[in-house]
Amino acid sequence: MDKKKLTERDICTKFINPALVQAGWDILSQVHEEFPVTNGRIIVRGRMHTRARPRRADYVLSYQKNMPIAIIEAKDNKHSLGDGMQQALAYSDALDAPFVFSSNGDGFLFHDRTGLFGQTETTLELNEFPSPETLWQLYCQYKGIGPAARKAVEQAYYDDGSGRTPRYYQSVAINRTVEAVAKGQNRILLVMATGTGKTFTAFQIIWRLWKSKQKKRILFLADRNILVDQTKNNDFRPFSDVMTKVTNRKVDPSYEIYLSLYQAVTGSEEDQNIYKQFSPDFFDLIVIDECHRGSASADSAWRQILDYFSSATHIGMTATPKETKEVSNIDYFGEPVYTYSLKQGIEDGFLAPYKVVRIDLDRDLQGWRPSKGQTDKHGELIEDRIYNQKDFDRQLVLESRTQLVAEKVTEFMTRTDPYQKTIVFCEDIDHAERMRQALVNLNPERVKENRKYVMRITGDEQEGKAELDNFINPEERYPVIATTSKLMTTGVDAQTCKLIVLDQRIQSMTEFKQIIGRGTRINDDYNKHWFTILDFKKATELFADPDFDGEPVKVYEPKGGAPVNPDDVYDDEPQDGEIPECSDDEGSYDIPPGSDWHSDDGDASDDTSTKRIKYVVDGVDVSVIAERVQYLGPDGKLITESLKDFTRKQVKQQYATLDDFLRRWNEADRKQAIIDELAEQGVIWDDLTRDVSKKLGEEPDPFDVICHIVYDQPPLSRKERAEQVRKQNYFSKYEGASKEVLSALLDKYTDAGIEPIEKVAVLNTAPFSQMGSLMELVSAFGGKPGYTEAVKDLEDELYRQTS
């Protein structure tokens, strides 16, 4: 057998797998080949999307399911033994697996990250691969897991038989937390971006600790009813008979798993603090969901619960740990045992990227001052001063401003999708109601179809709150637009929300991240792969804050009468944004314990007994000004230079000269592979193509886009390239069906570009399907190799004049 002729898959089957079996590894339960690490980052292209190539590890070895301890990267025998090591080490970082191997079928290069083997890298023969028991013993020694802790650490995950498995980062979070608890750590913090499955992660942690009897009675604390109900009815359902929700201020000590609102067990009066009906040592584990909202504050009444059950293990979970002078998650819980950020979630393809449309209004930037003695609509004398963005809809209402915002929202939805789930964040309940009315009046036909097309969903009103479940249910069409203030900032699992409108002044990074998190979930079934943020109050300037870790795909500011949809306009010269001055006050919207408000919404601050005077003014002209486009680069940072300059720099890093690019283009079996590769490196094809199209009057080939923008070559349209081929009498060497097929392929190229003609499946579509079956058409070229060669020859002819 000549190993050099074997494929990588052959090496795995004939050499690596037998070596693992010989070492005692169970191929079915302990060895996972082609392990999916990421989903592949979503790349937004205009109104379409594609995914970058997912990352897959050749082998992940687990002592028990979902507990990875070793990585193997395989290569064919033309590579050296260690050629896959750096790739394997990258997977090791992600999966938290300390034993790393690379193989080409001759043996293994072993990289030990624990330091327990003495030498960091060692060459092993095929028959020297370590057994599962050997690596597990070393893993436990490395992690400091003693015999007493191993029962909990080795406890299996819950498996419902559906095939659902944790994503890699969820497994790391679960395993690290269980290990920390098993080793006796009593204060633990987990930081996971919104939409990454914190509740499922919490369930698996609790399940393993409970099943192993490491923890026997557990309290899950949240501060919003919807969070508790979603948890009880979905991820925590397997606990069934041993689980209860604390309601009506009644305590039943016969259960093992308790779910509760903070507000349900605390109060301003001593008799309302029903948590004291439990003994201080009743619970041995408390999991605090969204722990940034109050529980870490030393003077928070909610903290009383944690102090009362101080002997229990406390696990805090949040997407946005809070660190201010008054509140510190880290001071209370310690450094996070694991962090999975929004930026990483977008990069891995588990979270949706987003575009930003920034709309600046003249009155917001320039301010408005009443004339002397001017009164508002209700006869109130307006205080004489300049009112600006921070005042509007809080101190003073400009009715025409509300109308303009509603018009822009309606315009965007009409241009894109009138039925995309949309959340409009307003300053308060009054603002949310006025916005609802404006949107209703601008969408009479939609409202006529269904009165629930626009709903105000705030904490003070039952009719709207009752529609929250319908809004977040992907299968329910209505409501489409929800106007709100604080109720929907967090804990709302709106999987199909495609538009977030910010008409609320936000100075808290914590709240901003929570609001952005309303749109980051992906739902393939409903074509939700990215979302748009429509920003009227400069809230997205918080993207410039170093505390923010997930920048947008695009930022666009329409000017004057320009369309609100960013894909209908192109500006090659983006300008740098301002960096906001962020308040130290993180605005946590804590709910006073003991209050009668348990409805989930910070809008309760609009209590009429303390309501401030809010002036309402009509007849003031408000208009849109300013325009800016910014893009998200492949490094996750906003591009601040022009798009053309950025593209030149990115392409020339790989192809320094035109000759380098032409050589690679002509050698490529598939041109689309180069196009996709450049897209992954940050080339924004739609906008570049749109710019060159304006000059040509017709759509160019991606080849011409690069040659023109990067290397200053005159561009040709696809139509011009096709006409040149026909003028060369290229088809004269073919006859019959083959000539007819190639002529139609050239027409297809003119209409749709290079991508479809490189796929043999195009022969199943019109007009080819009228010429014959796929097999018949391929046979006209003497078989598939002949057809592939003819297509490659056609491509060579298309690009010959530039070579």
Side-chain angles (χ1 to χ4, degrees), residues 655 657-668 674:
Y655 309 112
T657 67
L658 176 60
D659 286 342
D660 292 336
F661 177 69
L662 292 177
R663 189 179 306 112
R664 174 74 175 92
W665 185 267
N666 291 327
E667 289 173 355
I674 299 176

Side-chain angles (χ1 to χ4, degrees), residues 582-647:
C582 295
S583 167
D584 286 335
D585 177 14
E586 291 289 297
S588 61
Y589 307 105
D590 291 353
I591 302 153
S595 71
D596 291 332
W597 183 85
H598 303 307
S599 64
D600 310 325
D601 196 339
D603 296 324
S605 59
D606 280 357
D607 187 341
T608 54
S609 63
T610 58
K611 193 157 185 162
R612 60 185 177 271
I613 293 176
K614 183 186 289 186
Y615 305 114
V616 180
V617 183
D618 60 0
V620 177
D621 290 335
V622 182
S623 60
V624 175
I625 59 174
E627 180 176 351
R628 180 170 70 225
V629 180
Q630 285 184 283
Y631 302 88
L632 184 66
D635 59 354
K637 296 181 179 179
L638 283 174
I639 301 165
T640 55
E641 60 198 312
S642 80
L643 187 58
K644 286 182 179 179
D645 289 344
F646 172 78
T647 303

Side-chain angles (χ1 to χ4, degrees), residues 347-475:
E347 179 63 30
D348 287 345
F350 295 121
L351 294 179
Y354 46 92
K355 301 178 181 182
V356 175
V357 181
R358 288 182 180 168
I359 300 177
D360 286 339
L361 306 180
D362 56 354
R363 296 298 179 183
D364 287 10
L365 302 184
Q366 299 163 7
W368 176 81
R369 183 176 180 178
S371 58
K372 186 174 182 180
Q374 182 173 349
T375 58
D376 74 351
K377 279 184 66 174
H378 305 302
E380 294 281 353
L381 179 66
I382 304 172
E383 181 185 351
D384 183 15
R385 65 178 180 86
I386 295 175
Y387 295 85
N388 54 32
Q389 189 181 71
K390 69 177 183 294
D391 301 304
F392 294 143
D393 299 303
R394 298 181 69 85
Q395 307 283 335
L396 180 140
V397 174
L398 295 179
E399 291 188 326
S400 52
R401 186 190 180 284
T402 305
Q403 180 67 19
L404 181 57
V405 170
E407 287 173 0
K408 286 298 176 182
V409 173
T410 301
E411 177 191 332
F412 181 89
M413 295 182 70
T414 301
R415 286 176 177 270
T416 52
D417 175 9
Y419 294 97
Q420 60 192 304
K421 293 286 178 132
T422 299
I423 305 175
V424 184
F425 286 99
C426 303
E427 293 288 358
D428 53 28
I429 289 174
D430 169 67
H431 185 199
E433 173 57 23
R434 287 185 289 102
M435 187 62 67
R436 184 198 67 81
Q437 293 175 25
L439 288 166
V440 164
N441 289 329
L442 286 166
N443 294 274
E445 293 303 315
R446 310 289 181 203
V447 175
K448 188 177 179 181
E449 290 173 14
N450 191 304
R451 69 174 181 82
K452 296 179 181 178
Y453 180 78
V454 186
M455 294 290 291
R456 171 168 62 90
I457 302 180
T458 50
D460 69 316
E461 204 253 351
Q462 289 301 320
E463 175 76 14
K465 276 204 304 178
E467 292 299 323
L468 184 55
D469 284 345
N470 288 331
F471 181 82
I472 66 179
N473 184 350
E475 296 181 1

Side-chain angles (χ1 to χ4, degrees), residues 756-766 768-769 774 778 784 787:
I757 76 168
E758 293 191 324
K759 298 175 180 177
V760 71
V762 74
L763 299 180
N764 286 321
T765 64
F768 305 98
S769 54
L774 186 148
V778 169
K784 189 173 180 180
Y787 173 78

Side-chain angles (χ1 to χ4, degrees), residues 66-67 151-158 171 174-175 178 203-214:
N66 301 314
M67 301 179 197
K151 183 179 179 183
V153 172
E154 294 176 4
Q155 175 62 48
Y157 281 60
Y158 174 78
S171 291
I174 294 162
N175 293 338
V178 170
F203 164 72
Q204 291 287 4
I205 290 167
I206 294 170
W207 177 268
R208 290 176 62 193
L209 293 172
W210 176 69
K211 287 293 284 186
S212 65
K213 300 191 181 337
Q214 179 85 19

Side-chain angles (χ1 to χ4, degrees), residues 705-725:
V705 172
I706 294 299
C707 288
H708 176 62
I709 288 176
V710 179
Y711 304 108
D712 298 317
Q713 298 297 303
L716 294 176
S717 68
R718 293 199 304 263
K719 183 177 179 182
E720 287 172 324
R721 286 198 172 275
E723 287 174 350
Q724 287 191 4
V725 171

